Amino acid sequence: MRENLAESRSIARLLHPRTVAVVGASREPGSIGHEIFRRLLASEFTGSVYPVNAAATHVASVYAYRDLRDVPVEIDLVVVAVPAPRVAEVMRACAEKGVRGVIVVAAGFADGGDEGRARLADVIRIARDGGMRLIGPNAMGVINTVPTVRLHATFAVGDPPPGRVGLFTQSGALAGTFLTDASRRALGISTFVSIGDRSDVSCNDLLRYWRSDPRTGVVMLHLQSLGNPRRFARIARELSRHKPVVALKSGREAAHSDIGALFSSAGVIRVDTLSQLFDTTQLLACQPLPAGRRVGIVGTSSALAALAADACRTYGLDVPALSASTCAGLATLVGHRYATNPVDLGPLADPDRFDAALRAVAASGDVDAIITLVTPHAQVDRLASSVRAVAVESGLPLLASFLGQDGIPAQLAVRDGSGTPGPGSVPSYASPESAALALSRAADHAAWRARDQGSVPVLAGIDLDRARAEAERYPKDGAWLPDAAVATLLAGVGLRAWPSRRVGDQAEALAAAEAFGWPVALKIADERFRSRLDVGAVQLGVDDAAGLTQAWQAIRAAVGPGDMLVQPMAPAGVSTVVRLRQDPIVGPLLSLRLGGVVADLLVDPLSRTLPLTDRDAAELIQEIRGSVLLLGGSGAPAADTDALADLLHRVARLGEELPAIAEILLDPVLVGRRGVVLLHAGIRLLPPETEPRTLPRTLPRALAAGG
Amino acid sequence: MRENLAESRSIARLLHPRTVAVVGASREPGSIGHEIFRRLLASEFTGSVYPVNAAATHVASVYAYRDLRDVPVEIDLVVVAVPAPRVAEVMRACAEKGVRGVIVVAAGFADGGDEGRARLADVIRIARDGGMRLIGPNAMGVINTVPTVRLHATFAVGDPPPGRVGLFTQSGALAGTFLTDASRRALGISTFVSIGDRSDVSCNDLLRYWRSDPRTGVVMLHLQSLGNPRRFARIARELSRHKPVVALKSGREAAHSDIGALFSSAGVIRVDTLSQLFDTTQLLACQPLPAGRRVGIVGTSSALAALAADACRTYGLDVPALSASTCAGLATLVGHRYATNPVDLGPLADPDRFDAALRAVAASGDVDAIITLVTPHAQVDRLASSVRAVAVESGLPLLASFLGQDGIPAQLAVRDGSGTPGPGSVPSYASPESAALALSRAADHAAWRARDQGSVPVLAGIDLDRARAEAERYPKDGAWLPDAAVATLLAGVGLRAWPSRRVGDQAEALAAAEAFGWPVALKIADERFRSRLDVGAVQLGVDDAAGLTQAWQAIRAAVGPGDMLVQPMAPAGVSTVVRLRQDPIVGPLLSLRLGGVVADLLVDPLSRTLPLTDRDAAELIQEIRGSVLLLGGSGAPAADTDALADLLHRVARLGEELPAIAEILLDPVLVGRRGVVLLHAGIRLLPPETEPRTLPRTLPRALAAGG
C-alpha cells in the first residue's frame, strides 16, 4: 500500500514537472528533438524548458546547454531525443543530475534484436539505480492539459483540446492518429501517455494515477500487451466503479486468450475498432450513463430513424412504444402521424415542433436515452439548440447523428470556462448505427455498475489434504490423470464422477455391466466419438447380455476398433460442459456452455475469472447461449440450476486451491430436474508455460445426452 | 421483352432531357422550387430550363412563364415543385403539353393519410393516362453527370463529382446525406435518383437502365421496400454478372424476411450500415475485384498492422506468410526485421524502402490484394505516389488507410480527363477494419462471379397428379395436413416419411410396436418436447412389452399427460432440419440447418431461393454451421450428402409445383452413412397473406438423434 502510494506520486511528478529539458533538441525543423522542444514552448508550458545540444548555442531562439549537467536548475523531467546508441550515456547524466523522470523517444531497443535488448536492459538498470521513472523507449511522449501545467511533450501533429479523457496507448505510430482524431472530434484530453516499450511506467501506473486525478472522468486505453493481468483486473475494477474505462486490445494475445472475461470482470468496456473506441469514449465523456436500455429516437428522416431502430435492436437496446399519455401529448404537439417512437418529423421539420417533440419524449418517463437524427435543414442551428437544451435539462443521455458528423459538433457543444466542449455536450455519430452501438456499451457498463457484486459462498464438505497429496504424486506434464486420481481430487471438493469402466473386450464389458447392474450404456472410449450417438458410436439402454453383444457389434461397425466404456444408465438431464483452465494471459478461468454434438462445434463458452462469486455463477447459468434449456419455461421443466451453481463453485475452489491444475474438464455434466451427473471428468497438471492454448474445435468431443 | 425495351427507353429519356421546366419555381431563395431551378442553371445543364411561376415575371434572372402550356418549346422533363394539393392540376397540364417525364417533390401522398392516398391514386392515373413516367412523389430529384447532359435537378446540398457510380435511394432525407458523403469522399456519380414514394419508376427500372449505361460501373442502392422481389432478383442477377450492385436494406421488412437469401442468390452485395455502403462502393468503383482472399499488409505502424491483420481474419480473409523467395527479396531491400507479412516499416519509414517493399509484395504472387497503412509522415506525398503507382501497375486491388481519411484522398487519386478521381484511384478508410470489411465483401462478390451457376437436376420418380388432387381436398387455412395427406404429397416427389403412429394409451402403443416390430422408440407427441431426450420425453430402444410400460411411465413422469408417438427405431444419422416456406417478401425459400435441441435454439438456417440448382444444394450442405458433421473427416465417417442433396431437390420441386404449399417442415431428417430418414414431416397450405412470419424460436421443437 505504501509502495503504491509512492508509485502513484512518482507518476504524478512525471506529469506535473516544473522544469523540463530536451536532450537532443536539434536546430533542424522536422527533427524529433526540435519538434518536441517547439511543442513544449507552443503549449505554453507553465514551467521552464531547457534545450540541450552539444553542437548548438541556441535552439528555436532559446539558449542551449552543451550538457544536461550544465543546466543551472534542478530538472524534473528529461525528454531524451537522441539515437538509441547514445541513450544510456544521457540517462547516466540524468541520474547524476538527480532527474526524477525520463522519456526516451528512440526506437531500437525491444525491437532492435539482441543489441537492442542489451541496450534496454542497460537503460532500465540506470533508471532503477538512479530512482528515475522511465517512459519508453519508443514513446511518443506525454501531454497534461491541466491549466497549472500545460505540458505537451510529444512530436505528434494533433493537438486536442483540454478535457476529461485520460488516454493511454502503447503504439507510437497510433499515438499520432489518436491525437489527430481527438482534435478532429473536439474530444477533450486531460492526460495523454504513449508508453512505447513499457519498460517501467505501465498502464497500471496510469490507471492508479487517473483514479486520483480529479480532472479525468473517463479513461481510454489502447493495449497491445498486458504486463500483469491480475493486477490490471484489480486496479481497473476499482477505477471502473468511479470512472468508465474503455479499451481496445489488439494483437495475437487477444486472439488466444480470453481477454473478454478479464475485461468484463473488471467492468472495462471492450471495443473492437479504433472508431468504436472514440465513439464510446466521447459519449461517456459528455453524457450521463443511461439508467436502462429503452431508447427514444427523434429525427428528421424516416430512413435514418429506421436504421437507428434496427441498430438499437441489433445491439440489444429497446425502442419501446410510447405510453398512451405520451402519445396523446405528442399528437397535440406535432400531429397524430408523428406520435410514435421513432418520432420522425421529416426533412422539413418545423423547429418548434421538433423542440416540442424532443421535450415530450424526454419528459415521458418511457425512455432512458434519446438518439436524435438531424439531416441538412435550413434552420439547423435551431434544431441543434433544442438538442443541446434538452440534453442539459432532461438528465437523460442524448446522442446525435448530426449532419453525419463524428465527434462534438460546434453547435452541440456546451463549453466550459476554457471554451472547450465539456460535460453536457452532445456527441454526434457519422451513422445511427455507431450511435446505437456506443449507447449499448454505455448501458452495459451502467448495468455492471448498478449490480450487486456478489460474494464467494462458503462450501460444505471441502477437505483438500488428500487431494493435495494425490496431485503431488503425478508429474506436471500435461497428461490426463488416471481416473482414480481424478476421483480423489474431485472428492476434495465433494464431487463425484458417474461410474465408468474402460473395457477391451466383450467379456470385460459383460462383467462391468453385471457389476453396475442393467441397463447400461456402451460407448467407444475414443473421446472424439464418445458423444456421437448420431454415427452409432454410443448405444443406450442395453438391457442384457444379448443386447450387449448387439451393441458391441453396432459400435464396431460404426467406428471400428478401440476400447469401450461401460456406464450405468444416467438419469436424463440437460447436457452442459464445465471447464476450468489456465489462460496464458488472464489466469484461471471457469467456463460453462451447453453440451452435445452441435454445441461442441458451434457454441462458445462463457467464462469468468476466479474467485467465482454467487453472482458470477448465476450469470454463467443465465447468460450462456441456450440457457432456456436449463431455466425451463413454456411448459418445459427447469433443470436443477442450484446444483449446477454448487458444482461451479466447487470446481472453482479446486482450481484455486490446487494451482498446479492446468485443466478440469467435466464433459458432459447432465443437469437433471434434481441434481447433476458428471458423466466424464478429466484433470491435467502442468506448468503454465507449456499449457496448450485451446483444445481443437474441429472435432466434437463431448457427450451424448443420457449416455 | 419489347415492353422492357420501351420501359428502358422511357427511363433513359427521363435522365437525358433536352428541355426541363420547373413548375413552382419561386423567387424566394431557400424555397425548393427556387433551389432546384438554380441548381439546374449552376450544373451547366446542356439543354434549356424554363421556370414556371403564376405570380412572377422572372426567377433567378430568367424569364418565367405563368403556365406550363405557355412555354414555347416541347418539354421533356417537368419538376413539379408545388404543394401536394396542387400537384394533380400541374400533372394534367403536363399531360396536355405532351411531357414525357415528371418529378414530383412534395410530400403528403403515401404519407398523407386517406386524403394523401387519394391524391396519390389521382396522380398515378394522370401519369398513366398521359403516358408519362413519374418519379416521386416525395422525391429529392435526379442527377445525371454525363457531359452531354449535366442534369442536376435536386434541392440537396452535396454536389459529388462525375464518376462511375449509379446511386438509388428511396428516402428523400437520406438523399442529402448521400450526396454530401459522396462529395466528401470524392466518390464520382454517374446517375443519382431519389425515388420517394415509388409510385411508377422503381429500382428495377433503374437497374435495367444501368445495365446498358456505359458510364455506370457500380450500382449503390438504399432500399426501404421491394416492390417486386422476384423481378428484382432476376434483373439484379443479370446486372451483377457485369457490374457490382451494393445494397443497404433497412426497415421492418428486412427484420422479418430473408432478404439475405434473395440478395445472395442475385449476387447483390449486402451491407449493414451507411458507411459500409460507401466503403464497399468506393472500392468497387476504383479497384479491380480480387482474385482470392490472400491479403498483403504494408504500412508504417505496427499497431495499425496488427489491427488490420486481426480484422482480415475476422472477416474471413487470409494474411498469409510470404514465400521464402519473397522474404529473401524483401530482406535484401528492407532488412530482415521487416521481411514478413504484415510488412511494418515504422512511422519513420524511408520512402524508397516503402516503395521497394510495396512492389515486392505486389509482385510476389503470394497475395490477391494489398492494404497499405500510412500514418502521418514527413514525406507522405512520396509514400502516396508509391501506393498510386503500384495500384496502377500491379493489377491487384489496393486499399489504404491513409492518414485516417475516408474516401479518395487527393494524393491517391488517379484523375480522368475531366479531372475527377477515376478507376485506379486508391480508396482510403478511416480504420483498417473498414478496409478489411470492404475487401472481404469484394472477395465474396468475386467468388460469386467466378463460380459456376449450376443447373437444376432432372429428378426420377416425379408424379404429381395425385399430390395435386390431394392438396385440392384441404382448406387453405394454415393447419398442418393429416399424415396421410402429407404422405401422398411427399410421394409425388418420391419421398417417404419414417413410419409413426400416434397413440392415446399403452394398449394402442403395444399394438403399434408389435405391428412395426421391436425395438421401437416412444416419445411424447407434443412437438415442443418431441425431441427432448434430455428431459426424458423420448425413450429409445424399447425392446418388449415390459420395456414399453417402463418407457410410458418415464415419459409421463417427465412431461405429464398427452398422446405419444410410436416409431420403429431408425438407423443412426446426423440430425438436420429441412424447411421450405413462403417468405412474405422473397417468395419460396428452402433452408437447411443442423437439428437437435441445441441447434433448434441457436443455429440459424441457411436459405436459397427457388429454383434450386445443384450448386445451391451443394452450398447449403457445405456451408451450414456445423457442416463438418455431415462432411466427416478426422476419422469421423461422412454422411450420405448425395442423398441429402437429392432430398433437397425433391422438396424444392414439390414447393415449386404446388404453390399452395405454405410450408414443408422435415424435422428432423437423419442423414446416415447410406440414405436419409425423414423422421417427422409436416405440410401446411395457406394463402400467402396470412402466412405467419416465422415460427417462434423460444421453444425447441425438433428431433432427438436416433429417436
Coordinates of all heavy atoms in Angstrom, one line a residue, chain A residues 67-69 89-99 126 130 132:
Chain A
D67 N 25.5 20.4 -22.2 CA 25.4 19.1 -21.5 C 24.3 19.4 -20.4 O 24.2 20.5 -19.9 CB 26.7 18.8 -20.8 CG 26.7 17.5 -20.1 OD1 26.0 17.2 -19.1 OD2 27.4 16.6 -20.6
L68 N 23.6 18.3 -20.2 CA 22.5 18.4 -19.2 C 23.0 18.9 -17.9 O 22.3 19.7 -17.2 CB 21.8 17.0 -19.0 CG 20.7 16.9 -18.0 CD1 19.5 17.7 -18.5 CD2 20.3 15.5 -17.8
R69 N 24.2 18.5 -17.5 CA 24.7 18.8 -16.2 C 25.1 20.3 -16.1 O 25.3 20.8 -15.0 CB 26.0 18.0 -15.9 CG 25.5 16.6 -15.5 CD 26.6 15.5 -15.7 NE 26.8 15.3 -17.1 CZ 27.3 14.1 -17.6 NH1 27.6 13.1 -16.8 NH2 27.5 14.0 -18.9
E89 N 24.1 6.8 -22.2 CA 25.0 7.9 -21.7 C 24.2 9.1 -21.2 O 24.5 9.7 -20.1 CB 25.9 8.3 -23.0 CG 26.6 9.5 -23.0 CD 26.9 9.9 -24.5 OE1 27.0 9.0 -25.3 OE2 27.1 11.1 -24.7
V90 N 23.1 9.5 -21.9 CA 22.3 10.6 -21.5 C 21.6 10.2 -20.2 O 21.5 11.0 -19.3 CB 21.3 11.0 -22.6 CG1 20.3 12.0 -22.0 CG2 22.0 11.5 -23.8
M91 N 21.2 9.0 -20.1 CA 20.5 8.5 -18.9 C 21.4 8.6 -17.6 O 21.0 9.0 -16.5 CB 20.0 7.1 -19.0 CG 18.9 6.8 -20.0 SD 17.3 7.2 -19.4 CE 17.2 5.8 -18.2
R92 N 22.7 8.3 -17.9 CA 23.6 8.4 -16.8 C 23.8 9.8 -16.3 O 23.8 10.2 -15.1 CB 25.0 7.8 -17.1 CG 25.0 6.3 -16.9 CD 26.4 5.7 -17.1 NE 26.7 5.6 -18.5 CZ 26.5 4.5 -19.3 NH1 26.0 3.4 -18.8 NH2 26.9 4.6 -20.5
A93 N 23.8 10.8 -17.3 CA 23.8 12.2 -17.0 C 22.6 12.6 -16.2 O 22.7 13.4 -15.2 CB 23.9 13.0 -18.2
C94 N 21.4 12.0 -16.6 CA 20.2 12.3 -15.8 C 20.3 11.9 -14.4 O 19.9 12.6 -13.5 CB 19.0 11.6 -16.5 SG 18.5 12.2 -18.1
A95 N 20.8 10.7 -14.2 CA 21.0 10.2 -12.8 C 21.9 11.1 -12.0 O 21.6 11.4 -10.9 CB 21.5 8.7 -12.9
E96 N 23.0 11.4 -12.6 CA 23.9 12.3 -11.9 C 23.2 13.6 -11.5 O 23.5 14.2 -10.4 CB 25.1 12.7 -12.8 CG 26.2 11.7 -12.8 CD 27.4 12.2 -13.6 OE1 27.8 13.4 -13.6 OE2 27.9 11.3 -14.4
K97 N 22.4 14.1 -12.4 CA 21.8 15.4 -12.2 C 20.6 15.3 -11.2 O 20.1 16.3 -10.8 CB 21.3 15.9 -13.6 CG 20.4 17.2 -13.6 CD 21.3 18.4 -13.7 CE 20.4 19.7 -13.7 NZ 21.1 20.9 -13.2
G98 N 20.2 14.1 -10.9 CA 19.1 13.9 -9.9 C 17.8 14.1 -10.5 O 16.8 14.4 -9.8
V99 N 17.6 13.8 -11.8 CA 16.4 13.9 -12.5 C 15.4 12.8 -12.0 O 15.9 11.7 -11.7 CB 16.6 13.8 -14.0 CG1 15.3 13.6 -14.8 CG2 17.4 15.0 -14.6
I126 N 19.9 1.7 -15.3 CA 20.3 3.0 -14.9 C 19.1 3.8 -14.3 O 19.3 4.5 -13.3 CB 20.8 3.8 -16.2 CG1 22.0 3.1 -16.8 CG2 21.2 5.2 -15.8 CD1 22.4 3.6 -18.2
G130 N 19.1 5.0 -10.5 CA 19.0 6.4 -10.2 C 17.7 6.9 -9.7 O 17.5 8.1 -9.5
M132 N 14.8 6.9 -11.1 CA 14.1 7.6 -12.1 C 12.9 6.8 -12.6 O 13.1 5.6 -12.9 CB 15.0 8.0 -13.2 CG 16.2 8.9 -12.8 SD 17.2 9.5 -14.2 CE 18.0 8.0 -14.6

